[in-house]
Amino acid sequence: MGFIDSFKRWRLAKRGMSSGKKRRTTSGSSVVDSMENSVWMKLVIYPVFAALACLIAAYYVADDILFNGDPLQRTVLCLILCAAVILFYHIRHTVSVGNGRVTLVFGGILVHLGLLRLTCYLINNNEFWDADYLLLLPPLAFAPMIHSVLLGRHAGFFSSLSVALFGCLLMPQDDIFFFLIINLVAGSIAVALTRNVRRRGSLLRAGFYVGATTMLLAVAFGKIDLSTFSSSEGLSDELTKMGVAVFGGLLTGMVISGLLPVLETLFLITTDISWLELSDLNHKLLRRLQLEAPGTYHHSMVVASLAESAAEEIGANAAMCRVCSYFHDIGKLKKPEYFIENQGDSNPHDSLTPTMSAIIIIAHVKDGVDMAIKHKLNPKIIEVIREHHGDSLVSYFYHKARDMRQSVEQKVKEGLENKEDIPEVDAKNFRYPGPGPSSRESGIISLADCVESASRSLKKPTPQKIRNLVRDLVMARVTSGQLDDSGLTMGEIKIACDSFSATLRSMMHTRIDYPKDDETGSKGKDDSRKTSVPPREPNARQQYEDRKRATGSKERSSHVAKTQIARKAPKPSGHPITGLNG
């Protein structure tokens, strides 16, 4: 079919009826999608997990381990643990959970068990390390930390419990209780410290605290003996154990920090760390938006603030809302002058029919998806670009088209136009292609987008006007079915409405009018500044100096007056010395 479509586009391009280009689209494989949600695929994953877990844990041979020398009993115990772990996982999650997530969870547990067995093998076959290192050297927080960052704290606690149970089969019988406690506490610390990770340095911090916790528990259980610090040999040994515990936690954090980008790519998961990296406003598309469509750029920034605040209120992913809002209208870069926020004195739609205007407005969604795919943006961003308008109606041009139709019909009745000139107005031609928002974050951005756009039309906005506008717009989206697949509850929508109203009130606040003097603005400013500060009472010295200046000014004025009188007096006629006439 791809070759036939290409041939058709080529023929249309030869006739001048097509550009020969095709928009990029995200077309997922139906086979991959069916495998992702297939229950039968889970029936393959779980037996593979049980078999590998038994191979790693049950068939490990070492002295003093549980049921040593009886592999059948160890295998039965391992299979019971596998069944319990799988059942416990589905108590929290439904059977319809994606198989990629299931693979990540149980695959992470297997990798953790593999590292634990490798560590036990190295310690048991090294005469320089005693059995105490079995509790200090293994990466106790590996799987819990990965699952907490990628999938959430519930997955982190689940993997912490699972690796603790399976790890008991690898430990000496005397250390099983100690290992269980240390593993559970260290895993819980890792999960608690990686709940909202936004920087990779937080992983190192979590690894350090895990190592410090392991060291303290080892001291509490006597695996690190502080009483031997009096001798130089004992001090060296115990300090080495402390360093191994702390360094092991730090190394775990460093390794996980490097593995996260690979795991995010493989399992199509985006962490808050990646969202923070994607929020850089120096991205090429955002720079173009700022220069070529400044109105759209400002609109996107405001939508980002609205969506982020609402997401924080309802517990959604605020970082994702902010980044997706930045890019949700990049399709307007194709024809920025056709959108009102970028227009100047002229409006290109004045010379177009409503149908053609609606086509241009609707096309910005497909253009945005095409540009996002071209620049390899995150799939979640592409999803929001496609869904943020749903299948809503471009109401302005639709009503304009209906008015034109009524006008032509009236002219036909008056005999001024022919019946064939009546334009057809179909609501389908004025609707966005959809689909509607499929996640809470996409639904929040959709609401924030329409709320911000409509708020620009308010004259003299007041808190009550803003609140009524937000309520009416959101309820219109709800009643039209745009949010049916978003997963937002009515309670969350109400909280989001309150957040939108509060944010818009802070953005659209009014200011007082500053008084200006009619003659000069600077004089008015000086007067206002002078009248705002009351004059000080003059002290004795100032009064003396004022009187002195006043006396001096009086003497100078009398002297000037005498001089002027002398000048005005008539001069005598005669010799200047004798006074006699020549």
Side-chain angles (χ1 to χ4, degrees):
M1 291 298 293
F3 174 75
I4 296 175
D5 291 339
S6 300
F7 180 71
K8 289 180 178 179
R9 287 197 303 274
W10 177 78
R11 291 189 62 185
L12 290 173
K14 292 290 287 183
R15 297 178 185 177
M17 301 173 65
S18 172
S19 64
K21 298 180 181 180
K22 182 183 178 182
R23 286 192 180 96
R24 298 172 181 86
T25 56
T26 53
S27 56
S29 174
S30 59
V31 177
V32 174
D33 292 340
S34 61
M35 291 177 63
E36 171 68 18
N37 301 311
S38 173
V39 178
W40 297 103
M41 195 65 190
K42 291 183 177 63
L43 297 179
V44 175
I45 295 174
Y46 294 147
V48 171
F49 166 74
L52 293 176
C54 290
L55 184 64
I56 294 171
Y59 291 94
Y60 176 71
V61 179
D63 296 335
D64 297 332
I65 61 174
L66 196 63
F67 304 127
N68 185 25
D70 191 353
L72 180 60
Q73 193 170 4
R74 288 174 61 85
T75 302
V76 172
L77 179 59
C78 187
L79 290 175
I80 292 174
L81 288 177
C82 289
V85 164
I86 294 171
L87 180 62
F88 181 71
Y89 180 76
H90 283 291
I91 289 176
R92 173 67 188 175
H93 301 86
T94 61
V95 182
S96 61
V97 66
N99 291 326
R101 182 182 291 262
V102 173
T103 304
L104 177 59
V105 170
F106 289 98
I109 294 173
L110 289 175
V111 173
H112 189 121
L113 290 177
L115 293 174
L116 185 58
R117 174 168 173 167
L118 178 62
T119 306
C120 293
Y121 175 79
L122 293 176
I123 294 173
N124 289 329
N125 290 276
N126 192 329
E127 60 182 7
F128 298 102
W129 290 344
D130 56 28
D132 293 339
Y133 283 96
L134 291 172
L135 303 177
L136 302 174
L137 189 58
L140 303 178
F142 182 79
M145 195 179 292
I146 286 181
H147 293 155
S148 175
V149 174
L150 292 176
L151 302 175
R153 62 183 185 275
H154 295 292
F157 281 121
F158 169 77
S159 61
S160 178
L161 177 61
S162 301
V163 296
L165 293 174
F166 284 106
C168 291
L169 296 175
L170 302 173
M171 292 291 125
Q173 296 186 40
D174 296 338
D175 293 334
I176 287 178
F177 175 74
F178 300 141
F179 172 79
L180 191 64
I181 297 300
I182 292 176
N183 205 327
L184 287 175
V185 174
S188 301
I189 292 292
V191 172
L193 293 176
T194 54
R195 181 178 179 181
N196 293 315
V197 176
R198 294 202 171 196
R199 292 177 178 84
R200 301 192 187 276
S202 301
L203 297 174
L204 294 178
R205 181 176 61 105
F208 171 78
Y209 284 118
V210 167
T213 303
T214 303
M215 182 189 68
L216 292 176
L217 289 174
V219 171
F221 292 143
K223 300 302 178 181
I224 296 177
D225 192 0
L226 300 181
S227 63
T228 61
F229 277 21
S230 57
S231 63
S232 59
E233 183 179 353
L235 177 63
S236 176
D237 291 340
E238 303 309 315
L239 288 179
T240 302
K241 291 180 181 179
M242 290 181 177
V244 166
V246 176
F247 180 74
L250 284 172
L251 184 62
T252 302
M254 292 173 61
V255 172
I256 292 174
S257 177
L259 286 177
L260 278 180
V262 179
L263 296 175
E264 290 181 40
T265 304
L266 287 176
F267 295 97
L268 301 178
I269 297 173
T270 308
T271 62
D272 286 346
I273 298 174
S274 296
W275 285 124
L276 191 65
E277 293 171 351
L278 289 170
S279 64
D280 184 11
L281 296 179
N282 290 316
H283 190 279
K284 183 179 179 180
L285 285 175
L286 295 180
R287 293 293 296 170
R288 281 189 58 195
L289 199 68
Q290 186 176 9
L291 296 174
E292 301 175 22
T296 302
Y297 177 82
H298 180 263
H299 161 74
S300 299
M301 296 299 108
V302 178
V303 171
S305 299
L306 290 169
E308 185 180 31
S309 301
E312 288 177 349
E313 292 291 333
I314 69 172
N317 193 330
M320 173 185 168
C321 287
R322 170 166 286 278
V323 176
C324 292
S325 298
Y326 287 163
F327 294 92
H328 80 283
D329 268 345
I330 57 174
K332 293 181 180 180
L333 282 171
K334 292 287 186 180
K335 295 181 176 65
E337 68 276 5
Y338 284 88
F339 297 90
I340 190 168
E341 65 266 23
N342 303 312
Q343 291 173 1
D345 297 333
S346 61
N347 188 349
H349 291 287
D350 294 340
S351 59
L352 299 177
T353 62
T355 304
M356 182 57 67
S357 296
I359 290 173
I360 295 174
I361 297 297
I362 292 170
H364 87 273
V365 173
K366 295 180 179 179
D367 291 334
V369 172
D370 178 76
M371 296 175 70
I373 297 172
K374 178 181 177 181
H375 289 82
K376 297 180 175 59
L377 294 183
N378 190 280
K380 292 291 185 181
I381 298 177
I382 300 174
E383 184 179 281
V384 168
I385 293 174
R386 182 185 292 111
E387 296 174 354
H388 75 279
H389 280 297
D391 59 352
S392 59
L393 188 70
V394 186
S395 57
Y396 177 82
F397 292 109
Y398 175 66
H399 292 299
K400 185 177 180 180
R402 289 181 59 184
D403 293 342
M404 290 182 63
R405 178 184 173 87
Q406 293 176 359
S407 176
V408 174
E409 288 177 347
Q410 183 64 29
K411 290 181 179 180
V412 169
K413 291 180 181 179
E414 296 174 357
L416 301 176
E417 296 283 352
N418 298 324
K419 251 186 178 180
E420 293 80 8
D421 295 332
I422 300 177
E424 294 184 3
V425 180
D426 190 354
K428 293 181 180 179
N429 298 330
F430 294 86
R431 286 192 177 276
Y432 287 96
S438 60
S439 63
R440 294 199 301 168
E441 291 78 11
S442 183
I444 291 172
I445 294 171
S446 175
L447 294 177
D449 181 45
C450 70
V451 164
E452 198 282 330
S453 301
S455 66
R456 298 293 174 181
S457 63
L458 285 177
K459 305 296 184 183
K460 295 182 179 180
T462 62
Q464 187 61 37
K465 285 183 179 179
I466 294 173
R467 196 179 301 111
N468 293 338
L469 175 70
V470 171
R471 185 184 65 247
D472 295 342
L473 291 172
V474 172
M475 289 310 299
R477 287 294 178 105
V478 172
T479 55
S480 63
Q482 299 295 324
L483 303 177
D484 289 351
D485 300 326
S486 65
L488 289 170
T489 64
M490 291 303 297
E492 291 173 342
I493 292 175
K494 183 180 182 301
I495 295 173
C497 287
D498 296 337
S499 176
F500 291 153
S501 300
T503 306
L504 285 176
R505 282 198 303 271
S506 64
M507 291 180 178
M508 304 178 69
H509 61 83
T510 58
R511 287 186 178 271
I512 60 173
D513 292 332
Y514 290 95
K516 292 183 180 180
D517 195 352
D518 294 337
E519 297 179 359
T520 58
S522 60
K523 184 178 178 181
K525 293 181 181 178
D526 293 340
D527 291 344
S528 63
R529 186 163 56 249
K530 289 177 183 178
T531 55
S532 61
V533 180
R536 293 182 178 181
E537 292 293 334
N539 53 25
R541 183 177 180 83
Q542 288 178 342
Q543 293 177 359
Y544 170 75
E545 291 178 353
D546 292 342
R547 287 197 300 269
K548 187 176 180 180
R549 283 196 295 268
T551 306
S553 61
K554 288 180 180 179
E555 292 177 353
R556 284 194 299 271
S557 60
S558 61
H559 177 71
V560 170
K562 292 177 180 179
T563 304
Q564 290 177 351
I565 292 172
R567 287 177 179 175
K568 291 180 181 180
K571 293 182 179 181
S573 60
H575 195 275
I577 298 177
T578 61
L580 300 175
N581 294 327

